[in-house]
């Protein structure tokens, strides 16, 4: 159970009373019926909606009800500024972190890494796993009727663990976009009629408020039990008309005629001015310039007002409707008086450390200079949580680039980075140079320096970037940008990549790792779950380059709307779409990338996209003359002489086109230069292609030895990347390169022979012409059908078993008698009727185009559904892992086993399930044993021991695994471990009256010498 004493520090600058459970009125009517009803709803349902008009007693009722819950209660009172999604998430995570420390800074760190608001909200919800608590979100109507704040909240609620309850309090209903994120069966509501006073409760409330002259039955009848209407006699005002449930809002008229009109002028003026404060104390009121504030508050305390006083009587909070009315009255004052009050309020907020609120208020007061000082302290935080429109509005108000706090200059550059607009960043740097402060900013702010370097380099201005680099502090952010640009400009290249931090500059490191061909280094999700968003485009590219087309497509379809770096996504996705049989989409994606780069001044990106377009046109055999024209334009571009990778690829694609046209001598010159440039720059991603092209050009020119060396370079580079996918694709056009190398080999089983066998077997490329709904079937540990990320709820459990059974059958089909025998072990009228219902329920859950079909007494499952079955995916992934080599094979095996933990269909006992479970268990044991042996070969002895333990736990009779464990223990110097492993083998075999084989006993003797 959560320890309520485990807390984390409050986030700097947040208004703490917003995340505190509100005080209750001094004179409170106990309403146990509402507390009991609300407690019951919270226990039974995950989301409880409390929807009622202003003054219905929502907040008070929930405060009373949650006070007696056995779980911690996190509270957030929303205000209008929280419609900004980043600000909402910052407050939400701080409220949750008081009871769930794992939530501390999860969302804000994710936002700083460039992850979109909805994904960051999901990460925040996911951080609550293992915690039991109740979250109350009050005043949600202040988020407006729709918008990004609601979208972030909807995502948070969608991913909320079942152990966490959410109570949503609002004057109006929750938007449909949020409702769609919720499971309707997990939502309950408490509404106006539930909160309304009964006659007995109204009588007690009037008695506590020293009002015995009013007939409670009459008051309830006149107001429909509306709490505020009863307490403050609003129903007696002339403006009021009889309503049910308080749908009308007579409170403003009543406040004017029956409350403020009866106050002394000094008290009334005090209330109107103090309404700018969310929380009124004498000290804060004095800061607004109000006279004798302590006396005024004592006077007001003696009057019955719709406010809540603190226990000591020193703090007053307005009822929302009273505050709204008072602010309307304040707005009627003359402009100079309003400016004075706002200026005082802004300075008060700044003095209290609430710089964001202070900036807004000071800008309203027209005090730009003071707002700039406050904004400079907080604007980086605003940008890092991706509330970019707020930052843009502030910077526009603060005036043009020039001498200003370094924080504001950095913020302007960060906005250019966040908007993928290097031209804007370069313009900011130029303006600083013109005003004579650029060097000062560079030396004072490493982040500003890193952003200027990036923007100048991407705009094709390497000399300016070099100048910044010379002056900048060589810290982690500058190092990350420098490493990333090393794939374009040779002078920036460093051999050692900077450490990933989970921050935005990781993107530069990941770009470089991709182009350097370090494909297995791009799975960083275990290091940083917020870094995953930055890595996603490059993970998609790495999966594609390694031949995992299906997995790459799934990742692309799942994340394309949430990935923050659109330039990166446009760089890697086109080749994936081409591999998937979608050339038109691939070309369109590259054209869109070129336009985006051209519009934002990202000249280096523009050249890269143009080269990518040429490559795709070559692969898709489109107009060669047009491609040559594009290459002519590129090679005349001044930047190409400075940019290593860009020039290398331009030469490579020209050589490819020349080879096709028969201009072999010219092709050879181009390809030699391309290979030399790529090797010199360590740019291995494209080297398998260039190596094969060069091998073909050298052979055509009569240079057999150099042709072999070029082919070997292609194979060596491909092996380094952990997959021969790219190599095999280029060899389909030039298969003679492989044939010649195989003929030249003296041995009969070399790496080139393996490539030849794979090439011969090729021809089953994935073709995806249109997006189908994604259907997956979880089968290990739990059994579930998931359609486009949403788990289907099936009324008949046999529907799922039917799906898995057909998925396991050859051709994914079976006749009805066989199905009945497998699922029910009998064929009669009852089981046939049950099977019909199981089919019906399954088809209700599946997309229409993927439904199970029944024809001529045979049941057939769509291939797309069968391919989503977890057990079949595991078998496919196992087969692919066997094609890999070395560390790549070990990593792939471990990853796929981790994805498929748990028993197969654990809640099923049918005979076919038992047999399928046995086969899969055998495959798992085989994979574990093979992985253990491979770990031993790679000198990863600890991993070998661990994998052996898993293998023998799955199949204790697997003697080869015991031997690997003995060898691994010996390599670790663990003599006792060697003997323990042998004895474990001996004990396991004794259960079947067997003993270890001669080879195992001989190994023991050898290792004990």
């Amino acid at each position: 159970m959560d320890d309520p004493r485990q807390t984390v520090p409050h986030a700097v600058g947040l208004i703490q009373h917003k995340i505190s459970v509100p005080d209750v009125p001094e004179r409170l009517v106990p309403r146990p019926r509402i507390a009991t009803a609300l407690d019951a709803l919270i226990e039974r349902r995950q989301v409880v909606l409390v929807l009622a008009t202003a003054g219905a007693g929502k907040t008070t009722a929930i405060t009373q009800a949650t006070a007696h819950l056995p779980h911690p209660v996190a509270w957030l009172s929303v205000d209008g500024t929280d419609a900004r999604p980043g600000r909402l998430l910052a407050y939400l995570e701080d409220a949750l972190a008081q009871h769930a420390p794992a939530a501390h800074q999860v969302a804000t760190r994710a936002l700083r890494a460039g992850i979109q608001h909805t994904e960051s909200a999901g990460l925040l919800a996911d951080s609550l796993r293992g915690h039991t608590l109740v979250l109350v979100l009050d005043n949600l109507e202040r988020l407006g009727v729709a918008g990004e704040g609601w979208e972030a909240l909807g995502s948070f609620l969608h991913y909320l663990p079942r152990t966490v309850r959410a109570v949503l309090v609002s004057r109006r209903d929750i938007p449909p976009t949020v409702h769609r994120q919720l499971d309707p069966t997990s939502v309950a509501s408490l509404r106006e009629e539930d909160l309304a006073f009964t006659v007995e409760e109204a009588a007690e409330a009037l008695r506590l408020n020293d009002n015995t002259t009013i007939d409670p039955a009459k008051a309830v009848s006149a107001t429909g039990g509306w709490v505020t209407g009863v307490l403050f006699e609003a129903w007696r005002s002339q403006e009021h008309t009889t309503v049910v449930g308080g749908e009308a809002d007579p409170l403003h008229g009543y406040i004017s005629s029956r409350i403020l009109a009866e106050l002394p002028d000094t008290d009334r003026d005090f209330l109107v001015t103090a309404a700018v404060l969310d929380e009124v104390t004498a000290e804060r009121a004095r800061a607004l310039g109000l006279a004798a504030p302590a006396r005024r508050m004592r006077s007001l305390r003696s009057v019955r007002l719709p406010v809540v006083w603190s226990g000591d009587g020193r703090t007053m909070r307005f009822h929302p409707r009273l505050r709204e009315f008072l602010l309307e009255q304040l707005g009627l004052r003359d402009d100079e008086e309003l400016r004075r009050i706002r200026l005082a309020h802004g300075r008060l907020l700044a003095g209290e450390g609430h710089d964001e609120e202070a900036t807004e208020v000071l800008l309203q007061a027209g005090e730009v200079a003071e707002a700039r000082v406050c904004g400079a302290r907080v604007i980086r935080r605003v940008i890092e949580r991706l509330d970019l429109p707020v930052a843009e509005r502030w910077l526009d108000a603060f005036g043009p680039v020039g001498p200003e706090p370094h924080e504001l200059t950095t913020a302007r550059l960060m906005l250019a980075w966040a908007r993928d607009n290097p031209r804007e960043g370069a313009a900011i740097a130029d303006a600083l140079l013109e005003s004579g402060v650029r060097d000062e900013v560079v030396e004072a702010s490493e982040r500003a320096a890193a952003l200027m370097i990036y923007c100048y380099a991407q705009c094709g201005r390497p000399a300016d970037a070099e100048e910044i680099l010379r002056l900048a502090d060589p810290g982690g952010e500058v190092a990350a940008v420098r490493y990333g640009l090393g794939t374009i400009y040779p002078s920036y290249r460093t051999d050692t990549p900077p450490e990933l931090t989970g921050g935005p500059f990781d993107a530069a490191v990941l770009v470089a790792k991709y182009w350097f061909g370090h494909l297995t280094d791009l799975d960083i999700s275990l290091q940083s779950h917020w870094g995953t968003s930055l890595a996603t485009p490059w993970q998609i590219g790495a999966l594609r380059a390694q031949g995992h087309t299906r997995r790459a497509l799934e990742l692309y379809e799942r994340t394309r709307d949430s990935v923050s770096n659109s330039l990166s996504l446009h760089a890697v996705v086109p080749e994936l779409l081409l591999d998937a049989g979608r050339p038109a989409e691939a070309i369109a994606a590259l054209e869109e990338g070129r336009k985006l780069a051209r519009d934002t001044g990202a000249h280096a990106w523009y050249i890269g996209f143009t080269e990518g377009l040429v490559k795709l046109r070559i692969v898709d055999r489109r107009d060669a003359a047009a491609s040559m024209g594009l290459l002519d334009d590129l090679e005349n571009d001044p930047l190409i002489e400075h940019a290593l990778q860009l020039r290398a690829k331009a030469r490579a694609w020209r050589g490819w086109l020349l080879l096709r046209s028969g201009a072999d001598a010219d092709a050879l010159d181009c390809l030699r230069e391309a290979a030399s440039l790529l090797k010199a720059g360590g740019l291995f991603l494209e080297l398998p292609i260039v190596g094969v092209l060069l091998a073909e050009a050298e052979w055509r020119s009569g240079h057999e030895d150099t042709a072999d060396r070029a082919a070997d370079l292609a194979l060596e580079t491909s092996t380094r990347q952990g997959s021969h996918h790219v190599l095999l694709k280029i060899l389909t056009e030039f298969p003679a390169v492989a044939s010649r190398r195989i003929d030249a080999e003296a041995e009969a089983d070399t790496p080139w022979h393996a490539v030849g066998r794979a090439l011969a077997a090729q021809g089953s490329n994935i073709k995806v012409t249109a997006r189908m709904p994604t259907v997956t079937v979880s089968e290990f540990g739990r059994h579930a059908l998931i359609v486009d990320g949403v788990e289907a709820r099936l009324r008949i459990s046999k529907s799922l078993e039917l799906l898995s059974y057909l998925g396991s059958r050859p051709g994914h089909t079976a006749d009805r008698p066989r199905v009945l025998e497998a699922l029910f072990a009998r064929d009669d009228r009852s089981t046939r009727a049950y099977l019909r219902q199981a089919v019906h329920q399954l088809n209700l859950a599946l997309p229409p185009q993927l439904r199970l079909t029944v024809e001529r007494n045979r049941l057939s499952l769509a291939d797309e559904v069968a391919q989503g079955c977890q057990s079949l995916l595991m078998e496919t992934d196992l087969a692919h892992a066997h094609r890999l080599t070395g560390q790549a094979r070990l990593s792939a095996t471990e990853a796929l086993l981790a994805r498929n933990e748990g028993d197969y269909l654990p809640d099923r006992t049918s005979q076919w399930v038992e047999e399928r479970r046995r086969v899969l268990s055998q495959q798992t044991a085989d994979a574990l044993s093979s992985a253990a042996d491979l770990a031993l070969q790679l000198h990863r002895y600890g991993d070998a021991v661990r994998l052996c333990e898993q293998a023998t736990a799955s199949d204790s009779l697997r003697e080869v695994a015991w031997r690997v464990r003995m060898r691994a223990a010996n390599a670790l110097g663990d003599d006792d471990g060697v003997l323990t492993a042998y004895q474990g083998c001996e004990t396991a075999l004794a259960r079947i009256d067997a003993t270890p084989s001669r080879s195992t006993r001989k190994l023991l003797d050898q290792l004990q010498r």
Side-chain angles (χ1 to χ4, degrees), residues 871-886:
S871 60
L872 297 184
L873 289 172
M874 186 191 83
E875 290 175 322
T876 300
D877 290 342
L878 271 173
H880 180 80
H882 290 320
R883 295 178 57 191
L884 303 177
T885 59

Side-chain angles (χ1 to χ4, degrees), residues 924-938:
T924 299
D926 288 343
L928 284 166
S929 182
S930 175
D933 188 40
L934 185 54
L936 183 66
Q937 296 174 33
L938 294 171

